[in-house]
Amino acid sequence: MWDNSPFPMPDGAKITGRRGDQYKVSVSMPFDPDGFYGRQCPECSMLFRVNADDYEALPEGLQLWCVYCGHNADHTEFWTDQQRERAMEAARALGAQIVHQGFTRMLRKSRSTARRGQVSISFRNRPPYPRPLPGIDEERLARTRTCAGCEIRYGVFGEHRYCPVCGRLPAATVAFDALQAETARLDALASLHDETKAVLREQGVFTRSWVDAVENVVGVVEALGSSVFHERVTDSEERLRGKGSVFQRLDDMADLFVSAGCPDVRALVGPSTWNRLTRTWAARHVFTHNDGVVDERYLRRVPGARTSLGQRLVISEAECREAIADATALCRALVDLGPSPAP
């Protein structure tokens, strides 16, 4: 199917204007089967998606954010490789016809001079027939998200920290997303075929993943606790002076919030959950700093531990999932903390 412009253009491309020898061409970009429009960061080159209806409703001069690295630029810079190739094919179709037209005009002049014996040119006047534009066939989305701020729907293919329209995501959104990712990783390992599981288990992949999850949930809580404290406590910098990595230390973090007039998160999550969290934090410490070998510090923090001094901790999948659930409860408690009283 071709349009009726001076130069035939393939379906999806149309000449919309001309100024002198410059042409303006509009090229349609198909959405994916889920109704999402591909975007690619010009800085880190990673792909993400934005709902087509939501995207079309955005203002023309939109500054877009890369959901992964936070690069911020005009939305027209976020073409995907396949979209760029589609546009270039339209440009090539127009360019070939402009060149053909130029040769045709030159041929007419040459024929007139050829009759005077000055030059002889042979030219077969067959206009180029534009090829169909390439389609867009990019990776399908597994999950879509909706920004709590601007409500735009988008999809990602990895860990992200930004909304494509709003920019930096709230710390709570990042925290809960990270905890869900840990659960998704465990679920993916559990769904593997038995033969694959056996190979990975023998190589220690499962136990390493469980240890990584324990270490990661501590990092998630640390980041959220720090963000909430800075947001809710007006004199946060003064209170944090000289306290080091206080948000890595569970009871110290709880005491810090209490001293600032906030509720005690230990009471909010309950004693049994807090005891398990204390054990998780102690486990994280020995895995991070002592290759999982139990030291005196661990035994002081976990009274009645089944392991002895010098033994190496072993984490089970059930304990790992429990740690994620407990960390999720703690993150909810942190988010629910009210602001401290005015000094």
Side-chain angles (χ1 to χ4, degrees), residues 158-191:
E159 190 176 47
H160 74 296
R161 294 290 184 269
Y162 300 85
C163 163
V165 176
C166 294
R168 187 78 187 186
L169 290 171
T173 300
V174 174
F176 291 122
D177 193 64
L179 292 171
Q180 290 173 5
E182 293 300 329
T183 299
R185 179 168 61 157
L186 297 181
D187 291 343
L189 287 173
S191 67

Coordinates of all heavy atoms in Angstrom, one line a residue, residues 158-191:
G158 N 14.7 -5.3 34.2 CA 15.8 -5.4 35.2 C 15.5 -4.5 36.4 O 14.5 -3.8 36.5
E159 N 16.4 -4.5 37.3 CA 16.3 -3.6 38.5 C 16.3 -2.1 38.1 O 17.1 -1.7 37.3 CB 17.5 -3.9 39.4 CG 17.3 -3.3 40.8 CD 18.5 -3.7 41.7 OE1 19.7 -3.6 41.3 OE2 18.2 -4.1 42.9
H160 N 15.3 -1.4 38.6 CA 15.2 0.0 38.2 C 15.0 0.9 39.4 O 14.5 0.4 40.5 CB 14.1 0.2 37.2 CG 12.7 0.1 37.7 ND1 12.2 -1.1 38.3 CD2 11.8 1.0 37.8 CE1 11.0 -0.8 38.7 NE2 10.7 0.4 38.4
R161 N 15.2 2.2 39.2 CA 15.1 3.2 40.3 C 14.3 4.4 39.9 O 14.2 5.3 40.7 CB 16.5 3.6 40.8 CG 17.3 2.5 41.5 CD 16.7 2.1 42.8 NE 17.6 1.1 43.5 CZ 17.4 -0.2 43.4 NH1 16.5 -0.6 42.6 NH2 18.2 -1.0 44.1
Y162 N 13.8 4.5 38.7 CA 13.2 5.7 38.2 C 11.9 5.4 37.5 O 11.8 4.3 36.8 CB 14.1 6.4 37.2 CG 15.5 6.8 37.8 CD1 16.5 5.9 37.9 CD2 15.6 8.1 38.4 CE1 17.7 6.3 38.5 CE2 16.8 8.5 39.0 CZ 17.9 7.6 39.0 OH 19.1 7.9 39.6
C163 N 11.0 6.3 37.6 CA 9.8 6.3 36.7 C 10.2 7.1 35.4 O 10.9 8.1 35.5 CB 8.6 7.0 37.4 SG 7.3 7.6 36.3
P164 N 9.7 6.6 34.2 CA 10.1 7.3 33.0 C 9.7 8.7 32.9 O 10.2 9.5 32.2 CB 9.5 6.4 31.9 CG 8.5 5.6 32.6 CD 8.9 5.4 34.0
V165 N 8.6 9.1 33.7 CA 8.1 10.5 33.6 C 8.5 11.3 34.9 O 8.9 12.4 34.8 CB 6.6 10.4 33.4 CG1 6.0 11.9 33.5 CG2 6.2 9.8 32.1
C166 N 8.3 10.7 36.1 CA 8.5 11.4 37.4 C 9.9 11.5 37.8 O 10.3 12.4 38.5 CB 7.7 10.7 38.5 SG 5.9 10.7 38.3
G167 N 10.7 10.5 37.3 CA 12.1 10.5 37.8 C 12.3 9.5 39.0 O 11.7 8.4 39.0
R168 N 13.1 9.9 40.0 CA 13.4 9.0 41.1 C 12.2 8.5 41.8 O 11.3 9.2 42.2 CB 14.3 9.8 42.1 CG 14.9 9.0 43.2 CD 16.1 8.2 42.8 NE 16.6 7.3 43.7 CZ 17.7 6.6 43.6 NH1 18.4 6.7 42.6 NH2 18.1 5.7 44.6
L169 N 12.2 7.1 41.9 CA 11.1 6.5 42.6 C 11.2 6.6 44.1 O 12.3 6.8 44.7 CB 11.1 5.0 42.3 CG 10.7 4.6 40.8 CD1 11.0 3.1 40.6 CD2 9.3 4.9 40.5
P170 N 10.0 6.6 44.8 CA 10.1 6.7 46.3 C 10.9 5.5 46.9 O 10.9 4.4 46.3 CB 8.6 6.6 46.7 CG 7.9 7.1 45.5 CD 8.7 6.6 44.3
A171 N 11.5 5.7 48.0 CA 12.4 4.7 48.6 C 11.5 3.4 48.9 O 12.0 2.3 48.8 CB 13.0 5.2 49.8
A172 N 10.3 3.6 49.3 CA 9.4 2.5 49.7 C 9.2 1.6 48.5 O 9.2 0.4 48.5 CB 8.1 3.0 50.3
T173 N 8.9 2.3 47.3 CA 8.7 1.5 46.1 C 9.9 0.7 45.7 O 9.7 -0.5 45.3 CB 8.3 2.5 44.9 OG1 7.2 3.2 45.3 CG2 8.1 1.7 43.6
V174 N 11.0 1.3 45.8 CA 12.3 0.6 45.5 C 12.5 -0.6 46.5 O 12.8 -1.7 46.1 CB 13.5 1.5 45.6 CG1 14.8 0.7 45.4 CG2 13.4 2.6 44.5
A175 N 12.2 -0.4 47.7 CA 12.4 -1.5 48.7 C 11.5 -2.7 48.5 O 11.9 -3.8 48.5 CB 12.2 -0.9 50.1
F176 N 10.2 -2.4 48.3 CA 9.3 -3.5 48.2 C 9.5 -4.2 46.8 O 9.3 -5.4 46.7 CB 7.8 -3.0 48.3 CG 7.4 -2.6 49.7 CD1 7.0 -1.3 49.9 CD2 7.5 -3.4 50.7 CE1 6.6 -0.9 51.2 CE2 7.2 -3.0 52.0 CZ 6.7 -1.8 52.2
D177 N 9.9 -3.5 45.8 CA 10.2 -4.1 44.5 C 11.4 -5.0 44.7 O 11.4 -6.1 44.1 CB 10.5 -3.0 43.5 CG 10.5 -3.6 42.1 OD1 9.4 -4.1 41.6 OD2 11.5 -3.5 41.4
A178 N 12.4 -4.6 45.4 CA 13.6 -5.4 45.6 C 13.3 -6.7 46.4 O 13.8 -7.8 46.1 CB 14.7 -4.6 46.3
L179 N 12.4 -6.6 47.4 CA 12.1 -7.8 48.2 C 11.2 -8.7 47.3 O 11.4 -10.0 47.4 CB 11.3 -7.3 49.4 CG 12.1 -6.6 50.5 CD1 11.2 -6.0 51.5 CD2 13.2 -7.5 51.1
Q180 N 10.4 -8.2 46.5 CA 9.6 -9.1 45.6 C 10.6 -9.8 44.6 O 10.3 -10.9 44.2 CB 8.6 -8.3 44.8 CG 7.4 -7.8 45.7 CD 6.5 -6.8 45.0 OE1 6.6 -6.6 43.8 NE2 5.5 -6.3 45.7
A181 N 11.6 -9.0 44.2 CA 12.6 -9.6 43.2 C 13.3 -10.8 43.9 O 13.6 -11.8 43.2 CB 13.6 -8.6 42.8
E182 N 13.6 -10.7 45.2 CA 14.2 -11.8 45.9 C 13.3 -13.1 45.9 O 13.8 -14.2 45.7 CB 14.6 -11.4 47.3 CG 15.7 -10.3 47.4 CD 17.0 -10.8 46.8 OE1 17.3 -12.0 46.8 OE2 17.7 -9.9 46.3
T183 N 12.0 -12.8 46.2 CA 11.1 -13.9 46.1 C 11.0 -14.5 44.7 O 10.9 -15.8 44.6 CB 9.7 -13.5 46.6 OG1 9.8 -13.0 48.0 CG2 8.7 -14.6 46.6
A184 N 11.0 -13.7 43.7 CA 10.9 -14.2 42.3 C 12.1 -15.0 42.0 O 12.0 -16.0 41.3 CB 10.8 -13.0 41.4
R185 N 13.3 -14.6 42.5 CA 14.5 -15.4 42.2 C 14.4 -16.8 42.8 O 14.7 -17.8 42.2 CB 15.7 -14.7 42.7 CG 17.0 -15.4 42.5 CD 18.2 -14.6 42.8 NE 18.3 -14.1 44.1 CZ 19.5 -13.8 44.7 NH1 20.6 -13.8 44.0 NH2 19.5 -13.3 45.9
L186 N 13.9 -16.9 44.1 CA 13.7 -18.2 44.7 C 12.7 -19.0 44.0 O 12.9 -20.2 43.8 CB 13.3 -18.0 46.2 CG 14.2 -17.2 47.1 CD1 13.7 -17.1 48.5 CD2 15.6 -18.0 47.1
D187 N 11.6 -18.4 43.6 CA 10.6 -19.1 42.8 C 11.1 -19.7 41.5 O 10.8 -20.8 41.1 CB 9.4 -18.2 42.5 CG 8.6 -17.9 43.8 OD1 8.8 -18.5 44.8 OD2 7.8 -16.9 43.7
A188 N 12.0 -18.9 40.8 CA 12.5 -19.3 39.6 C 13.4 -20.5 39.8 O 13.4 -21.5 39.0 CB 13.3 -18.2 38.9
L189 N 14.2 -20.5 40.8 CA 15.1 -21.6 41.1 C 14.3 -22.9 41.4 O 14.6 -24.0 41.0 CB 16.1 -21.3 42.2 CG 17.2 -20.3 41.9 CD1 17.9 -20.0 43.2 CD2 18.2 -20.9 40.9
A190 N 13.2 -22.7 42.2 CA 12.4 -23.8 42.6 C 11.6 -24.4 41.4 O 11.3 -25.6 41.5 CB 11.4 -23.4 43.7
S191 N 11.4 -23.7 40.3 CA 10.7 -24.2 39.2 C 11.5 -24.9 38.2 O 11.0 -25.4 37.2 CB 9.9 -23.0 38.5 OG 10.9 -22.1 37.9

